[in-house]
Amino acid sequence: MNMIFKTACFFSAVMALSVLAGQSQEPVSVDSLLNEMVDRDAVARYPEKDFRLKQHSSYNRASKTPDEPAGWFNNKDNNTRDKDKCFVRIEENNGRKEWVLMDHEGPGAIVRTWVPWRGHSDASTDVKMRIYLDGDDEPVLEGNMLSMFDGSGLFPYPFAHPSLRSAVNFFPIPYAKGCKVTTDQMPFFFQITYREYDESTPIKTFTMEEFESAKELTEKTGKLLLNPGSGTGQEIPESAGPKVLVTSATIDAGGEQSLDLPAGTAAVREVSVKLGSYQDPNVTRQVVLKIEFDGKETVWCPIGDFFGSGIGLNPVQGWSSTVAEDGAMTCRWVMPYQNSGKVSLLNLSAAPVDAELVVQTGNWNWDDRSMYFHAGWHGQYPVPTRPYSDWNYVTLKGRGVYVADTLTIMNPVERWWGEGDEKIWVDGDDFPSIFGTGTEDYYAYSWGGVSTDFYEHPFHAQPRAHEYNKLNRKPAAEALVRNTHGYSVESRSRALDTMPFGSSLQLDMEVWSWTDCEMGYGVGMSWYGFADTDSNRKPEPVEVRNVPPVPDLNIAPAVSSAHSFKDSVEIVPEQVLSKTAGTALKMQDLKRMKFKGKWNLGTHQLFKGAHVGDAIEIRIPAASDGAERLALYATKSNDFGVLRFSVNGKTAGVEVDLYAAKPVPTGAIELGEFEPVESAYVLRVEVVGKNSNSKGTFFGLDCVTLSLPTSESTDVNQ
């Protein structure tokens, strides 16, 4: 009898293993990815079919290493002229010229595509995009680069979405052997984010037949995404709960209110917080959510950045969290634990706070892929914008999956602050797996200087920009007004574009503003990890209380004088469009050479070997779509010549003699007011003579500053 029982158990185990083996061999497909997109439980387990998230983008290829700042912080991350090479290559296909944006060999799936408008007020394009899969000569998809991804074409809303001045698509495109994406004209900006699976991963390649057969599932998934409180797509058995725990209290300044979770293995399925008053907007920064699981604190984050509201009450709805107009904030990330848990609210403000905390739990089947939910926070004020720098969101060690972040910034000036690129290293990358094209691009919109309005989507949102949010929209008559002064809140949560890591992950955001000033940064990040996964983000109670003040521009400009010039563009080799043969460039550190005077960043570019009649052309990126006033800063020395200037083919300023007995800065050389052409100014510098005392006709250029024309209002230009 005992032998029969053992034999039955053996065969049951074999059958169970067979079922699991069959499940692990089920191919990745459009259907499986759509189901995964709304499977809240799946993200709390390390991926069964492991992958790494990668990205092809129009980042500037001069960016090689942080040790070479001129290239690393180069802001020219698009293509507007033949010299630009912010793409993979140009090739001939079927007798036609095509620009290759992405070329990936091996199994994978495109899970996010972002492309912007060509201009801040031009939502049209005639650029055609083609997507080739598995080495086929014919594309499986081709169409207009914008309408393909803005919800008006093949891919429906909300997968494809017209965010602020961009087209963004999350509909999955899996492939078994490889993927190539091309355009029939030079691409502008672009980001194509994809999963790179292990070679052995079975994939069912996207076809139009597969797309058509998945239409019912597509519609169902889309409805779930737009109704995030309606469930996960999986029915929870009655035995699973839910159990709802509630506490309401007045929390004294410095005090804490907690809820103990049910003992045993379970999972938090919803956390909601509602404060009695949001009259003081700083309360969302200074009330902190804390969660511990199995004796370890894994969540410490201000509620504003945890739920996606930022500073103040800014209503927004997303797949992972919702901030309601009545002040209720709800998070829907699933948070498993094995033995115990506790959820707390910590009041770091100077006054008592009325708060209600609601936690819903349910059963959980803990296995070797189950992970703990984490959320951390990092804040800093002031953050200088010069010299350019990378600001670390978080660095993680161990194994896990990165899932979300909300950035709250304080901009002390009107001009645009968000040129900085995300740079994400995974598992010891030599170069970032993901190198972006701008902070607003990471958060799925574009033309940030004018895109100061509320928008929301299941996976990304701008809950606040300047003075506008969901309750106070930007008036249509002011659509093109450029003013990014004050607080902006940017959020991104991930579904198919989560970032698994096997040993480490580092996420940096470049600080790149058009203005030399001091900003405030605060970011809440969420990730899953195993018991030994660790981060560099520890509680920061002092910085939580250090809420960045928004300066009154009518009283004092918030401009730093720290070793750089206001609103300057440094002259670097990558900006040189053309030069006469024999003219050589050399960067000189004049500060280290102990010359007296002030140069931007303490350096200049020396143009050696130049003779009378020689000329160079330099591309200066515009800071605005409207006219700007340009001033050149250069160097005088004992072997420098006389220069003549033009901008965009028009005479600029007057001839300047750069002779001096020893190196000194010139101060501002006023060039005049000019309209940009293709978002830039072409500065031509010609050597036309030399002082009789000069030993040569070399010259040194420092930077160009861009400012508002004196005749134009600051309401309409940055």
Side-chain angles (χ1 to χ4, degrees):
M1 190 72 176
N2 191 36
M3 179 61 71
I4 293 173
F5 175 75
K6 287 182 178 179
T7 302
C9 289
F10 171 77
F11 279 110
S12 296
V14 169
M15 290 179 67
L17 289 172
S18 299
V19 170
L20 290 173
Q23 289 175 345
S24 65
Q25 291 306 308
E26 289 181 4
V28 175
S29 64
V30 170
D31 282 8
S32 75
L33 291 170
L34 287 174
N35 283 320
E36 182 184 343
M37 185 180 284
V38 291
D39 187 344
R40 296 196 188 279
D41 285 9
V43 73
R45 289 186 166 90
Y46 197 82
E48 184 178 16
K49 293 180 175 65
D50 201 2
F51 65 89
R52 291 297 177 268
L53 196 74
K54 301 291 181 72
Q55 181 169 280
H56 283 260
S57 77
S58 58
Y59 81 92
N60 193 295
R61 269 52 177 180
S63 301
K64 304 292 185 184
T65 167
D67 297 329
E68 301 173 8
W72 191 250
F73 298 112
N74 193 310
N75 190 46
K76 180 64 171 68
D77 41 22
N78 61 5
N79 302 282
T80 56
R81 53 198 168 90
D82 290 340
K83 187 177 179 180
D84 295 335
K85 302 295 181 185
C86 300
F87 48 86
V88 178
R89 64 179 179 274
I90 301 174
E91 64 181 25
E92 290 256 340
N93 283 325
N94 299 318
R96 62 182 175 245
K97 187 177 181 180
E98 295 186 39
W99 282 256
V100 179
L101 281 59
M102 169 184 173
D103 193 2
H104 176 231
E105 293 186 6
I110 296 176
V111 292
R112 178 185 184 266
T113 306
W114 168 88
V115 290
W117 291 8
R118 186 79 184 191
H120 71 273
S121 57
D122 184 5
S124 64
T125 185
D126 59 354
V127 176
K128 179 180 286 186
M129 177 177 280
R130 295 182 174 93
I131 300 178
Y132 302 85
L133 301 180
D134 295 351
D136 287 349
D137 292 333
E138 294 298 321
V140 66
L141 293 167
E142 63 179 311
N144 183 280
M145 192 173 185
L146 283 175
S147 62
M148 185 183 290
F149 301 132
D150 67 4
S152 65
L154 178 70
F155 298 117
Y157 182 83
F159 304 96
H161 172 55
S163 68
L164 292 176
R165 294 173 171 80
S166 290
V168 192
N169 179 54
F170 293 91
F171 195 93
I173 305 174
Y175 50 90
K177 299 177 182 177
C179 175
K180 182 170 68 175
V181 180
T182 72
T183 54
D184 66 349
Q185 299 177 44
M186 181 186 294
F188 190 35
F189 290 89
F190 64 88
Q191 293 183 1
I192 304 170
T193 311
Y194 62 98
R195 291 180 169 191
E196 182 179 74
Y197 287 99
D198 293 338
E199 285 294 332
S200 60
T201 305
I203 308 278
K204 190 174 183 180
T205 299
F206 177 98
T207 63
M208 285 306 301
E209 292 77 15
E210 192 81 6
F211 176 77
E212 292 295 330
S213 68
K215 277 197 169 179
E216 185 177 343
L217 178 59
T218 298
E219 184 178 354
K220 176 184 175 184
T221 305
K223 287 180 178 178
L224 278 173
L225 291 174
L226 295 173
N227 295 275
S230 62
T232 63
Q234 294 81 40
E235 293 298 325
I236 301 175
E238 288 295 327
S239 60
K243 298 182 177 68
V244 179
L245 309 171
V246 182
T247 182
S248 297
T250 297
I251 309 174
D252 291 333
E256 189 171 321
Q257 182 73 14
S258 301
L259 274 175
D260 289 321
L261 303 181
T265 303
V268 172
R269 296 193 170 271
E270 258 189 21
V271 176
S272 293
V273 172
K274 184 177 181 181
L275 303 184
S277 172
Y278 297 90
Q279 185 173 356
D280 177 2
N282 295 343
V283 73
T284 60
R285 165 65 59 87
Q286 296 179 338
V287 172
V288 174
L289 178 70
K290 297 170 52 178
I291 305 179
E292 64 178 60
F293 294 119
D294 295 337
K296 180 180 179 180
E297 185 174 274
T298 67
V299 173
W300 197 99
C301 188
I303 61 172
D305 292 317
F306 181 82
F307 292 100
S309 181
I311 296 286
L313 179 64
N314 298 296
V316 64
Q317 178 173 294
W319 173 245
S320 61
S321 62
T322 296
V323 177
E325 294 183 17
D326 68 357
M329 302 180 176
T330 303
C331 166
R332 289 175 288 273
W333 293 113
V334 175
M335 309 177 191
Y337 60 94
Q338 294 188 75
N339 301 303
S340 64
K342 182 169 71 173
V343 181
S344 306
L345 292 177
L346 171 64
N347 179 15
L348 292 177
S349 74
V353 171
D354 293 333
E356 180 182 71
L357 173 63
V358 181
V359 180
Q360 178 179 303
T361 66
N363 285 358
W364 180 264
N365 181 24
W366 190 276
D367 57 18
D368 60 1
R369 292 194 296 115
S370 296
M371 297 181 291
Y372 293 101
F373 178 83
H374 296 252
W377 184 81
H378 178 43
Q380 182 183 345
Y381 175 74
V383 177
T385 62
R386 299 291 188 276
Y388 304 116
S389 63
D390 290 327
W391 194 77
N392 178 244
Y393 276 27
V394 68
T395 298
L396 304 171
K397 301 294 184 182
R399 193 161 60 114
V401 178
Y402 187 87
V403 296
D405 45 68
T406 294
L407 172 67
T408 301
I409 70 96
M410 187 285 294
N411 181 27
V413 296
E414 292 183 358
R415 299 184 75 191
W416 175 231
W417 56 268
E419 294 289 336
D421 309 331
E422 78 273 16
K423 300 163 185 177
I424 306 174
W425 287 262
V426 178
D427 296 344
D429 284 330
D430 292 331
F431 188 81
S433 293
I434 294 177
F435 200 124
T437 56
T439 308
E440 82 273 38
D441 311 343
Y442 176 83
Y443 291 107
Y445 67 103
S446 62
W447 297 101
V450 284
S451 294
T452 46
D453 196 6
F454 167 85
Y455 87 98
E456 65 183 5
H457 178 271
F459 301 133
H460 51 78
Q462 182 170 250
R464 177 180 175 139
H466 184 36
E467 59 188 29
Y468 306 116
N469 65 8
K470 195 172 189 175
L471 304 178
N472 177 34
R473 299 297 301 271
K474 189 175 186 179
E478 299 180 15
L480 299 183
V481 169
R482 295 170 171 272
N483 190 340
T484 60
H485 173 240
Y487 284 114
S488 289
V489 182
E490 322 290 342
S491 69
R492 178 173 177 179
S493 63
R494 298 166 179 266
L496 296 184
D497 59 333
T498 57
M499 294 192 291
F501 53 95
S503 59
S504 64
L505 182 145
Q506 177 182 328
L507 196 167
D508 292 347
M509 189 64 73
E510 190 177 271
V511 177
W512 210 115
S513 166
W514 284 110
T515 304
D516 176 6
C517 60
E518 294 181 335
M519 295 176 59
Y521 272 66
V523 67
M525 305 78 57
S526 300
W527 66 94
Y528 286 90
F530 292 91
D532 58 351
T533 303
D534 196 18
S535 85
N536 64 337
R537 291 297 154 233
K538 311 305 178 187
E540 299 181 15
V542 173
E543 202 62 43
V544 159
R545 295 186 178 97
N546 182 29
V547 181
V550 179
D552 185 341
L553 294 184
N554 296 318
I555 296 176
V559 175
S560 165
S561 59
H563 309 297
S564 62
F565 299 160
K566 180 182 178 183
D567 304 330
S568 60
V569 177
E570 184 77 357
I571 304 294
V572 294
E574 291 79 14
Q575 292 168 331
V576 176
L577 301 176
S578 65
K579 64 182 180 66
T580 307
T583 302
L585 279 69
K586 180 182 180 182
M587 192 277 284
Q588 290 184 312
D589 190 332
L590 302 172
K591 183 179 179 182
R592 181 174 294 178
M593 296 165 74
K594 301 188 182 304
F595 291 123
K596 292 184 178 180
K598 183 179 178 183
W599 287 267
N600 186 48
L601 307 183
T603 65
H604 79 169
Q605 287 290 331
L606 173 65
F607 292 80
K608 298 178 62 177
H611 299 89
V612 174
D614 290 351
I616 62 166
E617 290 187 324
I618 303 169
R619 182 185 186 278
I620 307 297
S624 168
D625 293 323
E628 295 178 285
R629 189 170 70 249
L630 276 62
L632 173 68
Y633 290 78
T635 305
K636 293 184 175 184
S637 192
N638 64 357
D639 55 356
F640 283 10
V642 178
L643 304 184
R644 179 186 298 156
F645 311 101
S646 67
V647 174
N648 291 344
K650 299 179 180 179
T651 300
V654 297
E655 291 183 2
V656 175
D657 183 351
L658 292 185
Y659 169 77
K662 57 184 177 180
V664 292
T666 61
I669 301 170
E670 295 292 343
L671 299 177
E673 297 178 6
F674 300 91
E675 293 276 351
V677 176
E678 292 190 336
S679 304
Y681 306 95
V682 176
L683 169 64
R684 178 181 171 86
V685 181
E686 182 180 1
V687 182
V688 294
K690 80 179 187 73
N691 187 294
S692 59
N693 294 316
S694 179
K695 298 178 181 179
T697 50
F698 299 172
F699 56 96
L701 303 182
D702 180 7
C703 68
V704 172
T705 62
L706 301 98
S707 57
L708 295 173
T710 54
S711 61
E712 292 193 42
S713 166
T714 56
D715 289 325
V716 293
N717 291 283
Q718 292 193 94

